[in-house]
Amino acid sequence: MSTNFVELKQVSREYLIGGQEYKALNKVNLTIKRGELVVILGPSGAGKSTLLNILGGMDSPTSGSVEVDGHEISKYTAKQLTKYRAEKVGFIFQFYNIMPTLTAEENVKIVEDVSTTDKDALEVLKSVGLGRHAKKFPNELSGGEQQRVSIARAIMKDPALLLCDEPTGALDSKTGVEVLKLLRKQADENTTVVIVTHNAQIAEIADHVIYLKNGEIERDTINKKPKTIDEVSW
C-alpha cells in the first residue's frame, strides 16, 4: 500500500486572461506523505495559492490527476468536491474568516452544520488555549486569539488534510510561534498539514519543503532533521 497521502501527476492549471493563456501551474508532479508538515514557498504569482486551492477541492486542474487519500479528486463532480471539503479538509487563512456576530464557541460549533463530528467545541477551544474565551466575540479577542479560533474550527471536524494560507502573515512573531506550535501538534497527530507562506523561516520546522516558481516546482526537499519551533530564531 502506498504511503503517499497526496499524489499530483502532471498537474496544470491554465486561465484565460484578456484573451491570453496564463499557466498558474505547469505539469506539476508531487507526493506528500500522511502526517507531514509541508511548507510551500515561492514569490507572488508562483502558483502557491492555485496549488492549495486544487488540494482543497476549491479549484480543479485543467489537466493531470490529483489523488488524496487514494481518491482521485480531480475527477470529482462539484457535489463530490463539496462533500470532500466538508469531511476531509480544514482551512486556515491569513485573515481568520470567522463570523463577527458569533462567539468563539459558536464559530467552532458552526462546523457541525457541514460535517459529522463527535468533538466538543469547548474542548477543542481548550486544546488551543481558549477555553476561558469561549463566550467572547471576535472583537473582544486579539489577532492571535482569533487565529486560534479559526484553527479550532478547522480541527473540530478532525480533517485528514489541513491547508493553511499564510496563517501567521497577520501576526507578530511571538503570536505566530504559538500558532505554528498548534499546527506542528496537528502534524504530530497524523494530520497532513500544508502551509503556503512567504516566510522562509517556517521551512526550518517543516518535514517537506516545496519551492514553486512560475507554476513549476523548482526544488522539492525532504528535511531529515527539522528544527523544533523553539530552535528557530524568529
Side-chain angles (χ1 to χ4, degrees):
M1 183 177 175
S2 173
T3 58
N4 293 328
F5 180 70
V6 172
E7 289 192 49
L8 274 65
K9 298 175 183 175
Q10 294 289 293
V11 168
S12 294
R13 183 63 173 102
E14 299 162 3
Y15 300 96
L16 275 177
I17 301 175
Q20 297 292 315
E21 184 182 274
Y22 167 67
K23 281 195 174 183
L25 293 176
N26 185 26
K27 296 182 179 179
V28 168
N29 293 297
L30 172 65
T31 59
I32 295 171
K33 297 188 185 307
R34 187 184 299 273
E36 279 190 327
L37 192 153
V38 182
V39 167
I40 301 175
L41 293 170
S44 296
K48 302 187 302 297
S49 293
T50 300
L51 179 55
L52 205 71
N53 288 340
I54 286 175
L55 289 176
M58 294 184 289
D59 197 0
S60 296
T62 307
S63 60
S65 69
V66 181
E67 285 192 14
V68 178
D69 202 13
H71 300 276
E72 191 171 348
I73 67 167
S74 46
K75 289 185 176 178
Y76 276 8
T77 63
K79 185 176 181 180
Q80 287 174 312
L81 285 173
T82 298
K83 188 171 187 284
Y84 164 73
R85 289 192 298 269
E87 295 180 354
K88 290 277 190 182
V89 188
F91 297 96
I92 298 168
F93 302 97
Q94 180 175 351
F95 295 109
Y96 326 135
N97 286 7
I98 56 178
M99 301 290 288
T101 57
L102 300 180
T103 64
E105 185 175 10
E106 289 167 340
N107 263 289
V108 176
K109 282 177 71 71
I110 203 168
V111 168
E112 295 173 352
D113 294 336
V114 296
S115 176
T116 55
T117 178
D118 57 4
K119 288 180 179 275
D120 178 79
L122 183 56
E123 290 304 311
V124 174
L125 278 171
K126 287 178 181 177
S127 76
V128 299
L130 290 180
R132 62 193 178 92
H133 296 309
K135 302 304 179 186
K136 289 184 178 180
F137 290 92
N139 66 357
E140 300 175 289
L141 301 172
S142 68
E145 288 165 346
Q146 290 183 59
Q147 187 61 298
R148 279 189 275 164
V149 171
S150 77
I151 292 172
R153 181 184 58 192
I155 65 179
M156 174 74 173
K157 58 183 174 181
D158 200 20
L161 181 61
L162 188 56
L163 302 177
C164 313
D165 194 353
E166 295 284 4
T168 62
L171 306 175
D172 61 73
S173 59
K174 181 182 177 182
T175 309
V177 165
E178 293 171 2
V179 165
L180 290 172
K181 284 182 177 178
L182 291 172
L183 297 178
R184 177 76 261 181
K185 180 173 180 282
Q186 285 303 118
D188 291 342
E189 293 175 358
N190 216 31
T191 301
T192 304
V193 180
V194 180
I195 302 173
V196 160
T197 182
H198 285 96
N199 186 350
Q201 283 180 298
I202 297 177
E204 296 181 49
I205 69 165
D207 304 307
H208 188 170
V209 184
I210 297 159
Y211 298 85
L212 278 178
K213 187 176 181 181
N214 298 325
E216 299 178 354
I217 293 179
E218 189 175 50
R219 276 181 287 158
D220 186 341
T221 306
I222 300 299
N223 192 355
K224 293 182 179 178
K225 291 185 177 180
K227 291 183 179 180
T228 68
I229 292 169
D230 289 330
E231 286 175 334
V232 179
S233 299
W234 303 99

